[in-house]
Amino acid sequence: MASSRRASWRSVFPLVLLTVGAAYALGSWNWCGTWEERAPVLLSQVKASGSLRAGAAKVALNPPFPVVVAGYAPPRAEAKEADPPLHARAVVLEVGGSRVGVVSLELLFVTDSVTARVRELARSSGLEDVLVLATHTHSSLGGYDPRLVSQLVGTGRFREDSLEAIATAASSALQQAAASLTDVTLELGETQKPKFVYARSGGSESDGMLRRMVLRGAAAPVAELLFFAAHPTMVPRQRTYVDPDYPGRLSSLRESEGSGVTMLLQGTVGNVSVAFSEGQGMERVSAFARALAAAAGEVPLSPVGSDVRLALVRTEVSMPRPDASRLVPSLTRAAGDNLLCGSSERVAEVDALVLGPLQLVTVPGEPTVDAGAELVRRTGASGVLGLAGGYVGYVEAPSLVRAERGESRRQYFGPTLLEQLGAAAELAARTAGFTR
């Protein structure tokens, strides 16, 4: 009997070996093809100066429960409710008859398809263009990204109703904001909170910059925009609720204190995590939100003159060929490249936003502190916003990518990624009229 099984195995073994070899050869074949590289191109521009009007709105983002909790590789929790609720927040800005929107979603990231759908729905509100961003919450709903790699490592199985729920909330927020336009003044201030953050994977440390922008109406603030950078990964991974993490709690706290609709916009978040030890579990999340809300309220503000510059410029750049060399073992490098190629966009959007003296470059991913510093050097920007208008993954400085340090082990592209995005950022900044 035993000899019969051995004989059977010997007869099957060559077939198994041949099958495995064929699968390896097939996976190692170059399915990526040639990725054409070209100079960045201008997609759109809105530019104006004069008196400023603004409107703002906060709308519930209602997931089609039950939904997967996005943010990490499997196993992922499934949620049947939100605690606390998720929101879409929007600010509409109008100068000289030109009207643009900024919408912040309590999501892990936004995709090209989410951005395109939001812009399509926003046309009815008379907006010339819209900037769509995510808070980078690692405990929100998933299912809205059809790309295979994203479904595998972050957002779970794609569902059209998840995408539509997100776009509907964003569109509703923009419509309500546009309907509430009123004359406002602009106030700006900043402080640094380096003890709130730390560099989790090498590279330069964050200075903990916290910028505060207030759009103040005749009777009260219309909106408050807070610019900060730290990964919202405080909520425990297997919690069976969708949750906005510290950004949502921060915004709600500030709103309850009369700040107007408050949105947190992530900066160079790529290698930055929260450094806060007060409390455990969910109490730690709430405690950090309270500490950050208090810090925001203490930021001194300076008024900007009545003649306000507004610009939103969008550019498009071709992406370099994906590079899995730092993500997978060398024997599976080709297969890894093929998987990334099938899930990566061949173009990406890089934008520039000007409001008064504030000049911002936006990146469709997670720029690190070093990557952000390079973009600021090249463009003269006041700062860099991440998680805007799409998602290409991490963006690390080329020197760290070549050395396989920092966040390069999470970057889907080779060391030329920042160069490509930087060229687009320069075009956007130049067109928007950045001053140094």
Side-chain angles (χ1 to χ4, degrees):
M1 190 70 159
S3 61
S4 173
R5 283 198 296 268
R6 283 196 297 270
S8 176
W9 168 244
R10 289 193 193 101
S11 65
V12 171
F13 181 73
L15 181 60
V16 172
L17 191 61
L18 192 61
T19 302
V20 171
Y24 178 78
L26 190 64
S28 299
W29 188 268
N30 178 14
W31 297 103
C32 284
T34 302
W35 282 53
E36 178 187 359
E37 293 191 13
R38 56 175 172 78
V41 296
L42 187 65
L43 292 177
S44 66
Q45 57 177 307
V46 179
K47 296 166 65 177
S49 62
S51 58
L52 177 63
R53 302 178 75 217
K58 168 186 174 181
V59 171
L61 198 173
N62 297 312
F65 293 115
V67 295
V68 67
V69 179
Y72 304 99
R76 302 185 188 93
E78 184 176 83
K80 295 182 179 179
E81 58 182 306
D83 179 32
L86 304 176
H87 290 94
R89 291 176 171 85
V91 171
V92 169
L93 306 165
E94 183 181 273
V95 172
S98 295
R99 188 181 294 183
V100 301
V102 178
V103 60
S104 173
L105 298 162
E106 289 174 345
L107 297 173
L108 180 63
F109 53 74
V110 294
T111 62
D112 291 355
S113 53
V114 166
T115 301
R117 183 69 176 135
V118 170
R119 286 173 177 159
E120 178 187 359
L121 293 173
R123 291 186 189 127
S124 62
S125 302
L127 301 177
E128 294 179 54
D129 223 330
V130 178
L131 186 61
V132 185
L133 306 101
T135 60
H136 202 36
T137 297
H138 282 57
S139 49
S140 186
L141 80 153
Y144 57 89
D145 190 347
R147 295 175 296 179
L148 179 58
V149 167
S150 180
Q151 293 184 63
L152 291 173
V153 305
T155 58
R157 181 177 61 85
F158 175 68
R159 293 171 50 182
E160 187 69 38
D161 55 355
S162 289
L163 190 156
E164 197 59 29
I166 292 164
T168 298
S171 172
S172 179
L174 287 164
Q175 290 174 357
Q176 292 182 33
S180 65
L181 281 167
T182 187
D183 294 338
V184 298
T185 56
L186 177 63
E187 300 172 2
L188 292 170
E190 63 183 47
T191 189
Q192 292 183 354
K193 292 293 178 181
K195 292 184 179 180
F196 280 3
V197 293
Y198 71 96
R200 68 181 191 180
S201 58
S204 296
E205 291 285 346
S206 170
D207 59 9
M209 175 64 71
L210 173 60
R211 283 195 174 94
R212 180 185 178 200
M213 172 188 289
V214 173
L215 300 166
R216 192 177 300 278
V222 170
E224 178 180 67
L225 278 64
L226 301 176
F227 305 87
F228 188 66
H231 263 81
T233 53
M234 301 184 74
V235 172
R237 293 193 181 195
Q238 291 302 314
R239 190 166 187 256
T240 55
Y241 299 88
V242 290
D243 186 308
D245 208 293
Y246 82 80
R249 288 169 172 79
L250 164 68
S251 293
S252 293
L253 281 169
R254 294 294 300 154
E255 288 160 353
S256 69
E257 294 166 2
S259 69
V261 174
T262 298
M263 59 174 67
L264 175 76
L265 304 179
Q266 292 284 359
T268 51
V269 70
N271 65 323
V272 183
S273 289
V274 173
F276 191 80
S277 58
E278 181 182 322
Q280 298 291 326
M282 299 308 300
E283 173 51 33
R284 177 171 173 262
V285 187
S286 297
F288 180 66
R290 290 193 297 269
L292 195 54
E298 294 170 358
V299 174
L301 296 170
S302 298
V304 174
S306 58
D307 188 27
V308 176
R309 283 198 309 149
L310 172 66
L312 177 56
V313 174
R314 297 196 293 115
T315 67
E316 182 181 270
V317 63
S318 63
M319 297 296 288
R321 187 181 185 278
D323 175 10
S325 62
R326 299 166 311 283
L327 283 70
V328 298
S330 57
L331 284 176
T332 58
R333 159 73 188 280
D337 283 357
N338 288 333
L339 183 61
L340 289 179
C341 285
S343 296
S344 300
E345 304 293 344
R346 296 195 173 226
V347 294
E349 181 178 312
V350 177
D351 303 337
L353 175 67
V354 176
L355 186 56
L358 199 61
Q359 305 178 146
L360 301 169
V361 166
T362 77
V363 176
E366 303 178 51
T368 64
V369 172
D370 289 306
E374 175 62 13
L375 291 171
V376 167
R377 185 192 66 79
R378 292 181 64 162
T379 63
S382 310
V384 175
L385 296 180
L387 290 308
Y391 187 73
V392 301
Y394 285 81
V395 183
E396 183 57 278
S399 59
L400 292 175
V401 177
R402 293 188 183 95
E404 299 187 0
R405 294 174 50 225
E407 294 297 326
S408 67
R409 61 192 176 91
R410 295 184 175 98
Q411 182 168 304
Y412 297 151
F413 300 87
T416 62
L417 174 61
L418 184 58
E419 174 59 34
Q420 296 287 98
L421 297 176
E426 286 181 327
L427 173 60
R430 188 167 59 249
T431 307
F434 278 23
T435 58
R436 291 179 181 267

